[in-house]
Amino acid sequence: MQELLPQEQINAWKERLAGHHHPMELAVDVLRAIQDHHGWVPDTGVELAAELLGTTPLRVEELATFYDKIYRRPVGRWVIHVCDSICCWSRGAEEVVGVLREQLGIGFGETSADGRFTLLPTCCLGACGEAPAMMIGLTTYGHLTAERIGEILAAHRREVGP
Amino acid sequence: MSNYPQVLFKNRRPGETVFLDAYVAAGGYAGLKKALKTMTPGEVTATVKAAGLRGRGGAGFVTGLKWSFFPADHPGEKYLVCNGDEMEPGTYKDRQLLLADPHQLIEGMLIAAYALQVPVGYIFLRYAYEDCARVVEGALAEARRAGYLGPNILGSGFSCELRLHRSAGRYILGEETALLNGLEGRRPNPRSKPPFPAQKGLFGKPTTVNNVETLANVPHILVHGADWYQGLALTEKSAGTKLFGLSGHLNRTPCVELPLGVPLGEVITEHGGGVRQGRAFKACLPGGASTPFLTRAHWDLPMDFDALAAAHSRLGTACVTVFDEGTCMVAATLNLNRFFARESCGWCTPCRDGLAMVSWLLEKIETGRGVQDDIAMLQDQLRNISGRSFCALAEGAMGPVEALLRLFMDELEDHVKKGRCPFR
Ligand code: SF4
Ligand code: FES
């Protein structure tokens, strides 16, 4: 298993948090840093974040389980958040989900056999003018069609993950 | 197509972001200079109040009035927070604004910070707006280098820091007290009011929360004056322009800047290119997922705060989502309600349990298993939930449900009578 956060990043966080009036303001950033490096936030990640922030693991857990973009379970290399809110729904989100399920061979909450993709529903991505839309990592893709989805997935498959 | 004055989008170019040089060349930061060099903080607030600017985040509260409640003379720590959470389905205008012209927000925040005598401001951005976050980061760095941001701004003696906060998803963070909890690194449930944020907000200090588009209007008001701003709107009692984010069954779904008071029918036919595939217009959400539906009967309705309230709806964020004649309104309402049920923070029972119940009832009816009693139960839930929840989320969630019962009762009954969805 990959380390939670490289030592130099831990040191950098310690320094940054020590000079901060309200370290907890950075709680989400610390969780996101651990997730960026480790892929998801395990119990030990919650503990590390608590230690860095000078708070209790429970306080961190309250946050980690609240936000839907913090993953408390293992996920694939890429998490696909496909929008099922009203604008995307009105422009074919249900079909888009069908295409994703078929092309990935998984349902919501599952990870593809090659470990590359996890599929999750999400509420509105703020891309309603380009509906239907989905987000992979921090990138939003709009105007989805079966063909475009195929191209996007293929491009991600070509990229070699760490 | 009507050519209306462009204020917030005047510098917008497709696919481009206006950064500092171009912003200043187009007259940017003149409002900040004017405020710092020629006006007292009280005069700035009075000008914004006289302009009649109302919050562009959904609730539509008068911005200058909100500022006038703020204890600007309170010594020590106080905060200004920009609410860039924008997670209401259908609403994406702030993203368009930030990507096109981010310095408007920064300038607006600095002017607001001066009016409120606030030394620190936060820009709270949702997870999905990473593109905006990068643009805002770049613009903040530029503003700092140019002396618009930081200590002793433009030699005026006024100092202000602005910080960017990235969030990690959840609609409830758009509620201002939940947002403050989120910023503080607490579990983001809403707080009980009073005390209101103006007295006890972020880190227990006086705080004002304003939406992105609201703050972006402020520099223009200072440069051109309150009367000019009032005159931009098409209806007597409203003021200014508004960003309309179009979506749903339209031929075109752009985000456009139109005067407040523009008729709904014009928004749909001229700016959205009409309903797609030549179909007839059936209904729309005028301003996001929590605003009660409008129908063909509202075609000539001016899109402003008062006219929409009179039509039993709300202007909300003025992001219009259109449904064509082939749309099942029960299915649409079910989709909307599932969103709210999922995004409920779970703090209070009417919302946590009530919305789940409403989703269950709507799903039962939509899938042809509904009985007449289920419609009556929906009506009960409307009474049980509305006005009884801890924050406005549940109330907003019931907006479309209330409109469904009021405007589309025939469709609900048709589902029950036929034992299936008549649109499938
Ligand atoms: S109304 Fe819903 S979102 Fe608001 S406090 Fe209650 S449970 Fe939370
Ligand atoms: S409804 Fe899907 S991006 Fe807004």
Side-chain angles (χ1 to χ4, degrees), chain B residues 309-320:
Chain B
H312 305 287
S313 188
R314 288 188 301 116
L315 182 68
T317 56
C319 285
V320 181

Side-chain angles (χ1 to χ4, degrees), chain A residues 46-112:
Chain A
V46 169
E47 284 156 19
L48 173 65
E51 197 188 309
L52 288 171
L53 294 160
T55 188
T56 61
L58 181 63
R59 272 280 154 106
V60 175
E61 180 73 335
E62 283 181 344
L63 298 177
T65 53
F66 195 90
Y67 293 104
D68 78 331
K69 306 298 189 298
I70 302 288
Y71 315 127
R72 282 290 276 116
R73 281 201 242 163
V75 289
R77 169 80 178 82
W78 288 286
V79 179
I80 302 178
H81 287 277
V82 55
C83 175
D84 59 7
S85 293
I86 192 72
C87 310
C88 290
W89 173 83
S90 77
R91 291 180 81 99
E94 282 171 6
E95 291 88 85
V96 162
V97 169
V99 169
L100 281 166
R101 292 175 80 122
E102 197 190 294
Q103 296 203 7
L104 296 169
I106 53 173
F108 279 134
E110 295 173 0
T111 299
S112 58

